[in-house]
Amino acid sequence: MNTLSRLPRQLGSFIRNGLLEALRNKVLYAVLIAGAIAIAAASAFGALSLHQEERLFNNLVYFVGFLFLVALAIYQGTSSLHREVSTKTIYTVLSKPVDRPVFLVGKYVASAVVLAVAACLIFGMKIAVALYLGYDVTAVHFSAYFTAILQLVIIVALAHFFGSFSGPLLSALFTFCVFLMGSLTPQIEDAARQFRRQENPVHLLLEGSLWVLPDLEKLNLSYELTHQIEVSAAYLGHAVVYTSTVVFFLLLFSHLIFRRRDLG
């Protein structure tokens, strides 16, 4: 049996083991509990607002839930590789045989599936409470949470990239910094334009960073969710293509680094 024919079965094993590890991990339950608390708090604060109950509910639940999911994505992405290397279980996996590229992609896919499941659970809780409160659940809600999952998929890929050559703490720090800067790309563009007008060479650095950073702000539909602006299918298709491209290159660079890494 060649490597290509073994790939679906091996990836399935990684996903199954990743879900089982997540079920045994208290961090996942902490994120889900935090999401439930955010939904409850949004419902309570909505009652105190002036005819803005539904808007406040949507904004608060989306924002708080997404922050906790980002924290889970960084933790999941940075710890999955480190855990296998530090406990030496990677040697058992690689002797099956499982090639390093398959191992890297398998761990990534497992982490991405865990994040998608957690996001769907939080979204499901939000829908249930929204329907109970009599709020509308439109297609914009599904689009906003779908693109949120795409952002999480990129964040996990970033965490795997940094985890391929550094420890969990530095990987988490690097990932968070890139996430923060990728969420501020419009502000970076404005700053670059200001420095260019002043003929300040800093604009070269800022413009160069925009070519490297993943533009996570493009995948942020919080404004559309707040104002219930319809999202086109073409935009969602473009978002999927963009996310797939970013993830592909991040995993490619991760593989190029990880294959030369001394696991001893």
Side-chain angles (χ1 to χ4, degrees), residues 56-233:
L56 180 60
F57 175 81
N58 288 331
N59 288 346
L60 190 57
V61 173
Y62 178 87
F63 177 74
V64 176
F66 182 68
L67 284 183
F68 279 104
L69 287 171
V70 168
L72 177 61
I74 293 175
Y75 170 81
Q76 186 73 23
T78 55
S79 64
S80 59
L81 288 178
H82 176 73
R83 184 168 52 245
E84 298 288 349
V85 175
S86 61
T87 59
K88 307 299 183 182
T89 54
I90 188 173
Y91 299 112
T92 304
V93 177
L94 295 178
S95 64
K96 293 254 175 152
V98 175
D99 297 331
R100 288 198 185 194
V102 177
F103 173 81
L104 190 67
V105 172
K107 298 299 291 185
Y108 166 75
V109 172
S111 298
V113 170
V114 170
L115 264 297
V117 170
C120 289
L121 289 175
I122 291 179
F123 184 41
M125 289 189 291
K126 177 188 175 180
I127 290 178
V129 175
L131 294 176
Y132 174 77
L133 295 175
Y135 298 154
D136 293 331
V137 178
T138 64
V140 181
H141 290 78
F142 291 91
S143 299
Y145 278 84
F146 176 71
T147 54
I149 292 175
L150 295 182
Q151 291 184 70
L152 296 172
V153 165
I154 292 178
I155 294 169
V156 172
L158 282 168
H160 272 71
F161 168 70
F162 291 120
S164 64
F165 61 84
S166 62
L169 291 179
L170 283 178
S171 300
L173 179 61
F174 294 153
T175 304
F176 177 76
C177 290
V178 174
F179 158 71
L180 191 62
M181 295 177 67
S183 301
L184 297 174
T185 49
Q187 288 77 7
I188 296 176
E189 289 176 354
D190 291 339
R193 282 193 292 268
Q194 292 293 334
F195 282 120
R196 192 186 309 115
R197 293 193 191 101
Q198 299 171 6
E199 298 184 352
N200 191 320
V202 174
H203 79 89
L204 297 174
L205 178 63
L206 295 178
E207 291 171 353
S209 67
L210 291 172
W211 284 93
V212 178
L213 292 172
D215 193 351
L216 299 177
E217 183 60 24
K218 283 185 177 180
L219 303 173
N220 182 7
L221 295 181
S222 58
Y223 180 83
E224 286 76 4
L225 178 63
T226 299
H227 300 280
Q228 289 297 297
I229 300 174
E230 186 177 350
V231 180
S232 67

